[in-house]
Amino acid sequence: MTISSEAPARTHIVQVRLGPAGNPMAIRHDGRIWLVDPDTASQHWFTRDSWWHTRRNATVGSGNLVSVEHWRVQVLGSNSALRTFELRRAPLSEQWLLESITDN
């Protein structure tokens, strides 16, 4: 099932192409490529993972285990209106999740 504005609670794994500064430039979702609109301001923030629930053990120097990265970006698809994608990436993960899609 495709995530849509009618079903925003489901998360889907997506591929995200990052620019040199680490910001999303394009997102591959549901067989389509969505380009981040360069004329709109993206929002970027971090939250903290509840590490006490995940019970991750780590050795010294293994990296940041608690910062969850979030992006809210405006995207354009071919023949599609502007939409808002909210992305999330867990600590130490290369995998991005699409949290929600909102039609503008």
Side-chain angles (χ1 to χ4, degrees):
M1 181 174 168
T2 301
I3 191 170
S4 67
S5 54
E6 295 81 33
R10 299 189 66 184
T11 58
H12 292 271
I13 296 170
V14 293
Q15 294 174 329
V16 178
R17 175 170 288 163
L18 301 175
N23 55 313
M25 304 285 292
I27 300 158
R28 181 184 297 271
H29 166 61
D30 199 27
R32 296 177 64 186
I33 296 192
W34 298 82
L35 298 177
V36 175
D37 185 357
D39 296 329
T40 60
S42 297
Q43 296 174 340
H44 184 222
W45 71 97
F46 290 88
T47 57
R48 304 298 263 177
D49 187 32
S50 336
W51 58 267
W52 54 92
H53 292 298
T54 59
R55 300 185 192 274
R56 284 194 203 126
N57 293 325
T59 59
V60 173
S62 61
N64 183 342
L65 299 176
V66 296
S67 294
V68 179
E69 185 174 8
H70 299 266
W71 281 93
R72 184 174 295 128
V73 296
Q74 305 283 308
V75 297
L76 293 165
S78 58
N79 302 323
S80 177
L82 191 67
R83 301 177 107 182
T84 301
F85 280 14
E86 190 166 317
L87 306 167
R88 173 174 55 93
R89 181 168 59 176
L92 300 179
S93 176
E94 295 298 317
Q95 186 176 64
W96 286 93
L97 299 174
L98 180 58
E99 288 284 305
S100 67
I101 298 174
T102 308
D103 292 330
N104 295 335

